[in-house]
Amino acid sequence: MIDVTGQISAVERRIGDRTLPAGRARVLTIAQTYDAPVADVFDACTNPERIPRWFLPVSGDLSLGGRYQLEGNAGGTVERCDPPHGFAATWEFGGEVSWIEVRLREAGPGRTRFELEHVAHVDDQRWAEYGPGAVGIGWDLALVGLASHFAIDDTGVDPAAAADWMASPEGLRFVTESSRSWTTASIEAGTPTEQAQTAGTRVTAFYTGA
């Protein structure tokens, strides 16, 4: 099974902002280093046969300019592809468009630093209500899948059993710790402490059903 404390600690989380033509956007960055070569991590993130083994089933065209669709989740357009160092795509869900970029770099022999940046226009009211955890917890769960995919000791979470794991005490503890970590990142980015903690409590309850 996943070492919840170890996985939470292995992930870096940052919150920032950026000015786009349409206005101010929030920038969420999540990163982890894996014991796998850059080319292998790139293949795991872009090969439609491997993506379901750690994330979600995907359909469509994953080449430059192609449209993709993750089952029950977001879809979008591949806007940039730089194998094996990364790619960028739109992230379209619920009638809204945001952007993701994955960057990969060598972090020592046979190791890769995976960094994902998610840029989205989020108004102040929604940010105050749920904060970065609304998106960040989902990406934390994706990184659990990728860590499981590269685990050499058969530990981790099988995507087919992910829903059951999420409802288990271990899964609920992971979501709670992820939410706390995103609350900390939000405070470090300048969000007033009380506002960040209130949003964190709300998004934890949403994910855990508490």
Side-chain angles (χ1 to χ4, degrees):
M1 299 300 287
I2 283 287
D3 174 3
V4 171
T5 300
Q7 176 63 22
I8 291 292
S9 299
V11 173
E12 301 171 33
R13 304 167 186 83
R14 298 193 307 275
I15 305 298
D17 57 53
R18 182 176 302 165
T19 301
L20 301 178
R24 181 187 179 213
R26 314 274 183 179
V27 182
L28 178 151
T29 305
I30 187 167
Q32 184 171 1
T33 298
Y34 296 105
D35 290 323
V38 170
D40 192 30
V41 178
F42 182 83
D43 186 70
C45 294
T46 58
N47 185 331
E49 295 183 0
R50 288 183 71 179
I51 293 172
R53 287 156 55 187
W54 65 271
F55 193 31
L56 292 167
V58 62
S59 59
D61 180 3
L62 300 187
S63 63
L64 183 63
R67 295 280 303 175
Y68 72 91
Q69 179 62 54
L70 292 162
E71 186 175 290
N73 206 296
T77 300
V78 179
E79 296 190 321
R80 183 177 59 77
C81 191
D82 180 26
H85 303 293
F87 61 89
T90 61
W91 186 263
E92 303 171 23
F93 184 76
E96 298 183 348
V97 180
S98 55
W99 301 266
I100 61 168
E101 180 176 358
V102 170
R103 295 185 288 264
L104 306 174
R105 65 174 175 82
E106 186 176 342
R111 306 192 77 214
T112 300
R113 175 182 167 84
F114 169 101
E115 182 174 276
L116 181 143
E117 186 178 85
H118 193 158
V119 181
H121 293 290
V122 182
D123 62 47
D124 291 341
Q125 181 178 349
R126 194 191 309 179
W127 187 259
E129 188 172 5
Y130 289 109
V135 171
I137 292 172
W139 286 122
D140 253 316
L141 290 167
L143 265 61
V144 166
L146 199 54
S148 301
H149 186 67
F150 290 119
I152 60 175
D153 54 1
D154 294 325
T155 58
V157 179
D158 182 343
D164 291 337
W165 180 78
M166 279 279 293
S168 71
E170 182 182 64
L172 294 173
R173 184 163 72 88
F174 179 86
V175 166
T176 300
E177 292 300 322
S178 169
S179 181
R180 287 174 181 163
S181 296
W182 284 112
T183 296
T184 297
S186 186
I187 293 169
E188 290 175 348
T191 305
T193 299
E194 184 176 353
Q195 176 184 319
Q197 291 175 341
T198 299
T201 298
R202 189 176 290 118
V203 80
T204 300
F206 174 82
Y207 270 90
T208 62

